[in-house]
Amino acid sequence: MTWHQPLCQACWYRDRPHDEPNPRPLTDRRVETCCKCGEETVSGIYATYNPHAVPYPTDVAPSNQNGET
Ligand SMILES: [Zn+2]
């Protein structure tokens, strides 16, 4: 499972109230399940979470992460 987990805007600000998210461009978003609350989100926000420590982990990395080295 990936540590790169989708997050809805509400959960981002709950966890990181002092940080601004860095969402994907609108053209590169898809419907994801928020790893913290389980709601569907198109926020385009991702954050590093241990997939075994969140209630709704996503196990597929975003497709354009493949080339990352
Ligand atoms: Zn959420």
Side-chain angles (χ1 to χ4, degrees):
M1 277 208 272
T2 178
W3 284 52
H4 195 64
Q5 295 288 331
L7 203 62
C8 72
Q9 209 166 45
C11 289
W12 170 278
Y13 283 114
R14 194 179 308 130
D15 263 24
R16 302 160 194 256
H18 304 297
D19 288 340
E20 285 298 317
N22 183 25
R24 286 169 180 277
L26 281 169
T27 52
D28 191 29
R29 295 186 190 180
R30 61 181 186 175
V31 178
E32 301 272 18
T33 301
C34 173
C35 70
K36 299 282 269 193
C37 69
E39 294 288 325
E40 287 191 342
T41 179
V42 288
S43 67
I45 300 169
Y46 296 83
T48 303
Y49 284 104
N50 182 338
H52 301 293
V54 293
Y56 305 96
T58 291
D59 64 359
V60 179
S63 58
N64 69 349
Q65 292 294 312
N66 294 344
E68 206 174 90
T69 52

